[in-house]
Amino acid sequence: MKRSFVVVLGFAAVLAKAEQKDVCRALVLSGGASNGAWEAGIMWGLANYGNPADFEYDVVTGISAGAINAAGVAGFAPEDVMEQAEFLSDTWANLYNKEIWQWWEYGPIKGCLKEHGCLDTSPALTFLDDTLKKFPDGYKRRITVASGDANTGDFVTFDQTNMPFTQLHQAALASGSIPGAFPPQIMENMTLMDGGTIYDVNVVSAIQ
């Protein structure tokens, strides 16, 4: 099966079109903080100003902010291009800082020392969980999000084969947990931090 890719990076979107029907399309989303909103805008633009059939991604991988977006499209089937684009765009457009982080009750300095992250991201965990609960049918396509294990240095990937949809919100947050700023997420006895500390893009999982 031939594959074509859209790799959304810091300042470029590259589309390889394929005319054949026997095609697997993969979307690879990078990290980069506010790039997450930029990526959502790019996907909205491609869907609304291009041919939606060209953007029916069978596989989506994401790291850091890209993992947040990957989780956001996990509940949409590849052919749901317009609905997915509107969902991501609207979600980012209506997002507030208070839904992502708050100050620790004992202050950021003690938070950095005690929690290994200066900001409390429990609001983000709740927000992502509530957002993904809108998709009761779970995964509708292949998704991979990746983090770094602070204990071993391993690059850890989660997908629809090794993680239930009900845990995707925490895996996505783990992938975006910037060391020092956000506390790591503890999952399966691993201390998981921003996947961008190891790789900023995950092409490998898209072609496996």
Coordinates of all heavy atoms in Angstrom, one line a residue, residues 22-101:
D22 N -5.7 3.0 -3.6 CA -5.0 2.2 -2.6 C -3.9 3.0 -1.9 O -2.7 2.8 -2.1 CB -4.4 1.0 -3.3 CG -3.9 -0.1 -2.3 OD1 -4.3 0.0 -1.1 OD2 -3.0 -0.9 -2.7
V23 N -4.3 3.9 -1.0 CA -3.4 4.8 -0.4 C -3.7 4.9 1.1 O -4.9 4.9 1.5 CB -3.6 6.2 -1.0 CG1 -2.9 7.3 -0.1 CG2 -3.1 6.3 -2.4
C24 N -2.7 5.0 1.9 CA -2.8 5.2 3.3 C -2.2 6.6 3.6 O -1.0 6.8 3.4 CB -2.1 4.1 4.2 SG -2.2 4.4 5.9
R25 N -3.0 7.5 4.1 CA -2.6 8.9 4.4 C -2.3 9.0 5.9 O -3.0 8.6 6.7 CB -3.6 9.9 4.0 CG -3.8 10.0 2.5 CD -4.8 11.1 2.1 NE -4.8 11.3 0.7 CZ -5.6 10.7 -0.2 NH1 -6.3 9.6 0.2 NH2 -5.5 11.0 -1.5
A26 N -1.1 9.6 6.2 CA -0.7 9.8 7.5 C -0.4 11.3 7.8 O 0.2 12.0 7.0 CB 0.6 9.0 7.8
L27 N -0.8 11.7 9.0 CA -0.6 13.1 9.5 C 0.3 13.0 10.6 O 0.0 12.3 11.6 CB -1.9 13.7 9.8 CG -1.9 15.1 10.4 CD1 -1.4 16.1 9.3 CD2 -3.2 15.6 10.9
V28 N 1.4 13.7 10.6 CA 2.4 13.7 11.6 C 2.5 15.1 12.2 O 2.8 16.1 11.6 CB 3.8 13.3 11.1 CG1 4.9 13.4 12.2 CG2 3.8 11.9 10.4
L29 N 2.1 15.2 13.5 CA 2.0 16.5 14.1 C 3.1 16.7 15.2 O 3.3 15.9 16.0 CB 0.6 16.6 14.9 CG -0.6 16.5 14.0 CD1 -1.9 16.3 14.8 CD2 -0.7 17.7 13.1
S30 N 3.8 17.9 15.0 CA 4.9 18.1 15.9 C 4.5 18.9 17.2 O 3.3 19.3 17.3 CB 5.9 19.0 15.2 OG 5.5 20.3 15.1
G31 N 5.4 19.1 18.0 CA 5.2 19.9 19.2 C 5.5 21.4 19.0 O 5.7 21.8 17.8
G32 N 5.5 22.1 20.1 CA 5.8 23.5 19.9 C 4.8 24.5 20.6 O 4.5 25.5 20.0
A33 N 4.3 24.1 21.7 CA 3.4 25.0 22.5 C 2.3 25.5 21.7 O 1.4 24.7 21.3 CB 4.2 26.2 23.1
S34 N 2.2 26.8 21.3 CA 1.1 27.4 20.6 C 1.0 26.9 19.2 O 0.0 27.2 18.5 CB 1.2 28.9 20.6 OG 2.4 29.4 20.0
N35 N 2.0 26.1 18.7 CA 1.9 25.5 17.4 C 0.6 24.6 17.4 O 0.2 24.3 16.3 CB 3.1 24.7 17.1 CG 4.2 25.5 16.5 OD1 4.1 26.7 16.3 ND2 5.4 24.9 16.3
G36 N 0.2 24.1 18.5 CA -1.0 23.3 18.5 C -2.2 24.0 17.9 O -3.0 23.5 17.1
A37 N -2.4 25.3 18.2 CA -3.5 26.1 17.6 C -3.2 26.4 16.2 O -4.1 26.3 15.3 CB -3.6 27.4 18.4
W38 N -1.9 26.6 15.8 CA -1.6 26.8 14.4 C -1.9 25.5 13.6 O -2.4 25.6 12.5 CB -0.1 27.1 14.3 CG 0.5 27.4 13.0 CD1 0.5 28.6 12.3 CD2 1.1 26.4 12.1 NE1 1.1 28.4 11.1 CE2 1.5 27.1 10.9 CE3 1.4 25.1 12.2 CZ2 2.1 26.5 9.9 CZ3 2.0 24.5 11.1 CH2 2.4 25.2 10.0
E39 N -1.6 24.3 14.1 CA -1.9 23.1 13.4 C -3.4 23.0 13.2 O -3.8 22.6 12.1 CB -1.4 21.9 14.2 CG 0.1 21.8 14.3 CD 0.6 20.7 15.3 OE1 -0.2 20.2 16.1 OE2 1.8 20.4 15.3
A40 N -4.2 23.3 14.2 CA -5.6 23.2 14.0 C -6.1 24.1 12.9 O -7.0 23.8 12.1 CB -6.3 23.5 15.4
G41 N -5.5 25.3 12.9 CA -5.8 26.3 11.8 C -5.5 25.8 10.4 O -6.2 25.9 9.4
I42 N -4.3 25.1 10.3 CA -3.9 24.5 9.0 C -4.9 23.5 8.6 O -5.3 23.4 7.4 CB -2.5 24.0 9.1 CG1 -1.4 25.1 9.3 CG2 -2.1 23.1 8.0 CD1 -1.3 26.0 8.0
M43 N -5.2 22.6 9.5 CA -6.2 21.5 9.2 C -7.5 22.1 8.8 O -8.2 21.6 7.8 CB -6.3 20.5 10.3 CG -5.1 19.6 10.5 SD -5.3 18.3 11.7 CE -4.8 19.2 13.2
W44 N -8.0 23.2 9.4 CA -9.2 23.8 9.0 C -9.1 24.4 7.6 O -10.0 24.2 6.8 CB -9.6 24.9 10.0 CG -10.9 25.5 9.8 CD1 -12.1 25.1 10.4 CD2 -11.3 26.5 8.9 NE1 -13.1 25.9 10.0 CE2 -12.7 26.8 9.0 CE3 -10.6 27.3 8.0 CZ2 -13.4 27.7 8.3 CZ3 -11.3 28.3 7.2 CH2 -12.6 28.5 7.4
G45 N -8.0 25.0 7.3 CA -7.8 25.6 6.0 C -7.7 24.6 4.9 O -8.3 24.7 3.8
L46 N -7.0 23.5 5.2 CA -6.9 22.4 4.2 C -8.3 21.8 3.9 O -8.7 21.6 2.7 CB -6.0 21.3 4.7 CG -4.5 21.7 4.8 CD1 -3.7 20.5 5.4 CD2 -3.9 22.0 3.4
A47 N -9.1 21.6 4.9 CA -10.4 21.0 4.8 C -11.4 21.9 4.0 O -12.2 21.5 3.2 CB -11.0 20.7 6.2
N48 N -11.3 23.3 4.3 CA -12.2 24.2 3.8 C -11.8 24.8 2.4 O -12.7 25.3 1.7 CB -12.5 25.3 4.8 CG -13.4 24.9 5.9 OD1 -14.6 25.0 5.8 ND2 -12.8 24.4 7.0
Y49 N -10.6 24.8 2.1 CA -10.1 25.4 0.9 C -9.5 24.4 -0.1 O -9.1 24.7 -1.2 CB -9.1 26.5 1.1 CG -9.7 27.7 1.8 CD1 -9.5 27.9 3.2 CD2 -10.5 28.6 1.2 CE1 -10.1 28.9 3.9 CE2 -11.1 29.7 1.8 CZ -10.9 29.8 3.2 OH -11.5 30.9 3.8
G50 N -9.4 23.1 0.3 CA -9.0 22.1 -0.5 C -10.1 21.0 -0.8 O -11.2 21.3 -0.5
N51 N -9.7 19.9 -1.3 CA -10.6 18.8 -1.5 C -10.5 17.9 -0.2 O -9.5 17.3 0.1 CB -10.2 18.0 -2.7 CG -11.1 16.7 -2.9 OD1 -12.1 16.6 -2.2 ND2 -10.7 15.9 -3.9
P52 N -11.6 17.9 0.6 CA -11.6 17.1 1.8 C -11.1 15.7 1.7 O -10.5 15.1 2.6 CB -13.0 17.2 2.3 CG -13.6 18.5 1.7 CD -12.9 18.6 0.4
A53 N -11.4 15.1 0.5 CA -11.0 13.7 0.3 C -9.5 13.5 0.3 O -9.0 12.4 0.6 CB -11.5 13.2 -1.0
D54 N -8.7 14.6 0.1 CA -7.3 14.5 0.1 C -6.7 14.5 1.5 O -5.5 14.2 1.7 CB -6.7 15.7 -0.6 CG -6.9 15.7 -2.1 OD1 -7.0 14.5 -2.7 OD2 -6.9 16.7 -2.7
F55 N -7.6 14.7 2.5 CA -7.1 14.9 3.9 C -7.8 13.9 4.8 O -8.0 14.1 6.0 CB -7.3 16.3 4.4 CG -6.8 17.3 3.4 CD1 -7.7 18.1 2.7 CD2 -5.5 17.4 3.1 CE1 -7.3 19.0 1.7 CE2 -5.0 18.3 2.2 CZ -5.9 19.1 1.5
E56 N -8.1 12.7 4.3 CA -8.7 11.6 5.1 C -7.6 10.8 5.6 O -7.2 9.8 5.1 CB -9.6 10.8 4.2 CG -10.9 11.6 3.7 CD -11.8 10.7 2.9 OE1 -11.5 9.5 2.6 OE2 -12.8 11.3 2.4
Y57 N -7.0 11.2 6.8 CA -5.9 10.6 7.3 C -6.2 9.3 8.1 O -7.0 9.3 9.0 CB -5.2 11.6 8.3 CG -4.8 12.9 7.7 CD1 -5.4 14.1 8.1 CD2 -4.0 12.9 6.6 CE1 -5.1 15.3 7.5 CE2 -3.7 14.2 6.0 CZ -4.2 15.3 6.4 OH -3.9 16.5 5.8
D58 N -5.6 8.2 7.6 CA -5.8 6.9 8.3 C -5.0 6.8 9.6 O -5.4 6.1 10.5 CB -5.4 5.8 7.3 CG -6.2 5.9 6.0 OD1 -7.3 5.4 6.0 OD2 -5.6 6.4 5.0
V59 N -3.9 7.5 9.6 CA -3.0 7.4 10.7 C -2.6 8.9 11.2 O -2.3 9.7 10.3 CB -1.7 6.7 10.4 CG1 -0.8 6.5 11.6 CG2 -2.0 5.3 9.7
V60 N -2.6 9.1 12.5 CA -2.2 10.4 13.0 C -1.3 10.2 14.2 O -1.6 9.4 15.1 CB -3.4 11.2 13.5 CG1 -2.9 12.6 14.0 CG2 -4.4 11.5 12.3
T61 N -0.1 10.8 14.1 CA 0.8 10.7 15.2 C 1.1 12.1 15.8 O 1.0 13.1 15.0 CB 2.2 10.1 14.9 OG1 2.9 11.0 14.0 CG2 2.0 8.8 14.1
G62 N 1.3 12.3 17.1 CA 1.5 13.6 17.6 C 2.5 13.5 18.8 O 2.5 12.5 19.5
I63 N 3.2 14.6 19.0 CA 4.1 14.8 20.1 C 3.8 16.2 20.7 O 3.7 17.1 20.0 CB 5.6 14.6 19.7 CG1 5.9 13.2 19.3 CG2 6.5 15.1 20.8 CD1 7.3 13.0 18.9
S64 N 3.8 16.2 22.0 CA 3.6 17.5 22.8 C 2.3 18.1 22.3 O 1.2 17.5 22.4 CB 4.8 18.4 22.6 OG 4.8 19.4 23.5
A65 N 2.3 19.4 21.8 CA 1.1 20.0 21.4 C 0.4 19.2 20.3 O -0.8 19.2 20.2 CB 1.3 21.4 20.9
G66 N 1.2 18.6 19.5 CA 0.7 17.7 18.4 C -0.1 16.5 18.9 O -1.0 16.0 18.3
A67 N 0.3 16.0 20.1 CA -0.4 14.9 20.7 C -1.7 15.3 21.2 O -2.7 14.5 21.2 CB 0.5 14.4 21.9
I68 N -1.9 16.6 21.7 CA -3.2 17.1 22.1 C -4.1 17.1 20.9 O -5.3 16.6 21.0 CB -3.0 18.5 22.7 CG1 -2.0 18.5 23.8 CG2 -4.4 19.0 23.1 CD1 -2.4 17.7 25.0
N69 N -3.6 17.5 19.7 CA -4.4 17.5 18.5 C -4.7 16.1 18.1 O -5.8 15.8 17.6 CB -3.7 18.3 17.4 CG -3.9 19.8 17.6 OD1 -4.9 20.3 18.2 ND2 -2.9 20.6 17.2
A70 N -3.7 15.2 18.2 CA -4.0 13.8 17.8 C -5.1 13.2 18.6 O -6.0 12.5 18.1 CB -2.7 13.0 17.9
A71 N -5.1 13.5 19.9 CA -6.1 13.0 20.7 C -7.5 13.6 20.3 O -8.5 12.9 20.3 CB -5.9 13.3 22.2
G72 N -7.5 14.8 19.9 CA -8.7 15.5 19.5 C -9.3 15.0 18.2 O -10.5 15.1 18.0
V73 N -8.5 14.3 17.4 CA -9.1 13.8 16.1 C -9.3 12.3 16.2 O -9.8 11.6 15.3 CB -8.2 14.1 14.9 CG1 -7.9 15.6 14.8 CG2 -6.8 13.3 15.0
A74 N -8.9 11.7 17.3 CA -8.9 10.2 17.5 C -10.4 9.7 17.4 O -10.6 8.5 16.9 CB -8.3 9.8 18.8
G75 N -11.3 10.4 17.8 CA -12.7 10.0 17.8 C -13.4 10.2 16.5 O -14.6 9.9 16.4
F76 N -12.8 10.8 15.5 CA -13.3 11.0 14.2 C -12.8 10.0 13.2 O -11.6 9.7 13.2 CB -13.0 12.4 13.7 CG -13.6 13.6 14.4 CD1 -13.0 14.2 15.4 CD2 -14.9 14.0 14.1 CE1 -13.6 15.2 16.1 CE2 -15.5 15.0 14.8 CZ -14.9 15.7 15.8
A77 N -13.7 9.5 12.4 CA -13.3 8.6 11.3 C -12.5 9.4 10.3 O -12.7 10.6 10.1 CB -14.5 7.9 10.7
P78 N -11.6 8.8 9.5 CA -10.9 9.5 8.5 C -11.7 10.4 7.5 O -11.3 11.5 7.2 CB -10.1 8.4 7.7 CG -10.0 7.3 8.7 CD -11.2 7.4 9.5
E79 N -12.9 9.9 7.2 CA -13.7 10.7 6.2 C -14.5 11.8 6.9 O -15.0 12.7 6.2 CB -14.8 9.7 5.6 CG -15.7 9.1 6.5 CD -15.3 7.8 7.1 OE1 -14.1 7.5 7.0 OE2 -16.1 7.0 7.6
D80 N -14.4 12.0 8.2 CA -15.1 13.1 8.9 C -14.2 14.3 8.9 O -14.0 15.0 9.9 CB -15.4 12.7 10.3 CG -16.4 11.5 10.4 OD1 -17.2 11.4 9.4 OD2 -16.4 10.8 11.4
V81 N -13.7 14.7 7.7 CA -12.7 15.8 7.6 C -13.3 17.1 8.1 O -12.6 17.8 8.9 CB -12.2 15.9 6.2 CG1 -11.2 17.0 6.0 CG2 -11.5 14.6 5.7
M82 N -14.4 17.5 7.6 CA -15.0 18.8 7.9 C -15.4 18.9 9.4 O -15.1 19.9 10.1 CB -16.2 19.1 7.1 CG -15.9 19.1 5.6 SD -14.7 20.3 5.1 CE -15.5 21.8 5.5
E83 N -16.0 17.8 9.9 CA -16.4 17.8 11.3 C -15.2 17.9 12.3 O -15.2 18.6 13.3 CB -17.2 16.6 11.7 CG -18.5 16.5 10.9 CD -18.4 15.8 9.6 OE1 -17.3 15.8 9.0 OE2 -19.5 15.4 9.1
Q84 N -14.1 17.2 11.9 CA -12.9 17.2 12.7 C -12.3 18.5 12.7 O -11.8 19.0 13.7 CB -11.9 16.1 12.1 CG -10.5 16.3 12.6 CD -9.5 15.7 11.6 OE1 -9.6 14.5 11.3 NE2 -8.6 16.5 11.1
A85 N -12.2 19.2 11.5 CA -11.6 20.5 11.4 C -12.3 21.5 12.2 O -11.7 22.4 12.9 CB -11.5 20.9 9.9
E86 N -13.6 21.5 12.2 CA -14.4 22.4 12.9 C -14.3 22.2 14.4 O -14.2 23.2 15.2 CB -15.9 22.3 12.6 CG -16.3 22.8 11.2 CD -16.1 24.3 11.0 OE1 -16.2 25.0 12.0 OE2 -15.9 24.7 9.8
F87 N -14.2 20.9 14.8 CA -14.1 20.6 16.2 C -12.8 21.2 16.8 O -12.8 21.8 17.9 CB -14.2 19.1 16.4 CG -13.9 18.7 17.8 CD1 -14.9 18.8 18.8 CD2 -12.7 18.1 18.2 CE1 -14.7 18.3 20.1 CE2 -12.5 17.7 19.5 CZ -13.5 17.8 20.5
L88 N -11.7 20.9 16.1 CA -10.4 21.3 16.6 C -10.3 22.9 16.6 O -9.8 23.5 17.6 CB -9.3 20.8 15.7 CG -8.8 19.4 16.0 CD1 -7.6 19.1 15.1 CD2 -8.4 19.1 17.4
S89 N -10.8 23.5 15.6 CA -10.7 24.9 15.5 C -11.5 25.6 16.6 O -11.1 26.5 17.3 CB -11.2 25.4 14.1 OG -11.2 26.8 14.0
D90 N -12.8 25.1 16.8 CA -13.6 25.7 17.8 C -13.1 25.4 19.2 O -13.2 26.3 20.1 CB -15.0 25.1 17.7 CG -15.8 25.5 16.5 OD1 -15.3 26.5 15.9 OD2 -16.8 24.9 16.2
T91 N -12.5 24.3 19.4 CA -11.9 23.9 20.7 C -10.8 24.9 21.1 O -10.7 25.4 22.2 CB -11.4 22.5 20.8 OG1 -12.5 21.6 20.5 CG2 -10.8 22.2 22.2
W92 N -9.9 25.1 20.2 CA -8.7 26.0 20.4 C -9.2 27.5 20.6 O -8.7 28.2 21.4 CB -7.7 25.9 19.3 CG -6.8 24.8 19.4 CD1 -6.8 23.6 18.7 CD2 -5.6 24.7 20.3 NE1 -5.8 22.8 19.1 CE2 -5.0 23.4 20.1 CE3 -5.1 25.5 21.3 CZ2 -3.9 23.0 20.8 CZ3 -4.0 25.1 22.0 CH2 -3.4 23.9 21.7
A93 N -10.2 27.9 19.7 CA -10.7 29.2 19.8 C -11.4 29.6 21.1 O -11.4 30.8 21.5 CB -11.6 29.5 18.6
N94 N -11.9 28.6 21.8 CA -12.6 28.8 23.0 C -11.9 28.4 24.2 O -12.5 28.2 25.3 CB -14.0 28.2 22.9 CG -14.9 28.8 21.9 OD1 -15.4 29.9 22.0 ND2 -15.1 28.1 20.7
L95 N -10.6 28.2 24.1 CA -9.8 27.6 25.2 C -9.2 28.8 26.0 O -8.7 29.8 25.5 CB -8.7 26.8 24.7 CG -7.8 26.0 25.7 CD1 -8.7 25.0 26.4 CD2 -6.7 25.2 24.9
Y96 N -9.2 28.6 27.4 CA -8.7 29.6 28.3 C -7.6 29.0 29.1 O -7.6 27.8 29.4 CB -9.8 30.2 29.2 CG -10.8 31.0 28.5 CD1 -12.0 30.4 28.0 CD2 -10.7 32.4 28.3 CE1 -12.9 31.1 27.3 CE2 -11.6 33.1 27.7 CZ -12.8 32.5 27.2 OH -13.7 33.2 26.5
N97 N -6.6 29.9 29.5 CA -5.5 29.4 30.3 C -6.0 28.7 31.6 O -5.4 27.7 32.0 CB -4.6 30.6 30.8 CG -3.7 31.1 29.7 OD1 -3.5 30.4 28.7 ND2 -3.2 32.3 29.9
K98 N -7.1 29.1 32.2 CA -7.6 28.5 33.4 C -8.0 27.1 33.2 O -8.1 26.3 34.2 CB -8.7 29.3 34.0 CG -9.9 29.4 33.1 CD -11.0 30.2 33.8 CE -12.3 30.3 32.9 NZ -13.3 31.1 33.5
E99 N -8.3 26.7 32.0 CA -8.7 25.3 31.7 C -7.4 24.4 31.4 O -7.6 23.2 31.3 CB -9.5 25.3 30.4 CG -10.8 26.0 30.6 CD -11.6 26.1 29.3 OE1 -11.2 26.8 28.3 OE2 -12.7 25.5 29.2
I100 N -6.3 25.0 31.5 CA -5.0 24.3 31.2 C -4.2 24.2 32.5 O -3.6 23.2 32.8 CB -4.2 24.9 30.1 CG1 -5.1 24.9 28.8 CG2 -2.9 24.1 29.8 CD1 -5.5 23.6 28.4
W101 N -4.0 25.3 33.2 CA -3.2 25.3 34.4 C -3.7 26.3 35.4 O -4.4 27.2 35.1 CB -1.7 25.6 34.0 CG -1.5 27.0 33.4 CD1 -1.5 27.3 32.1 CD2 -1.2 28.2 34.1 NE1 -1.3 28.7 31.9 CE2 -1.1 29.3 33.2 CE3 -1.1 28.5 35.5 CZ2 -0.9 30.6 33.5 CZ3 -0.8 29.8 35.9 CH2 -0.7 30.8 34.9

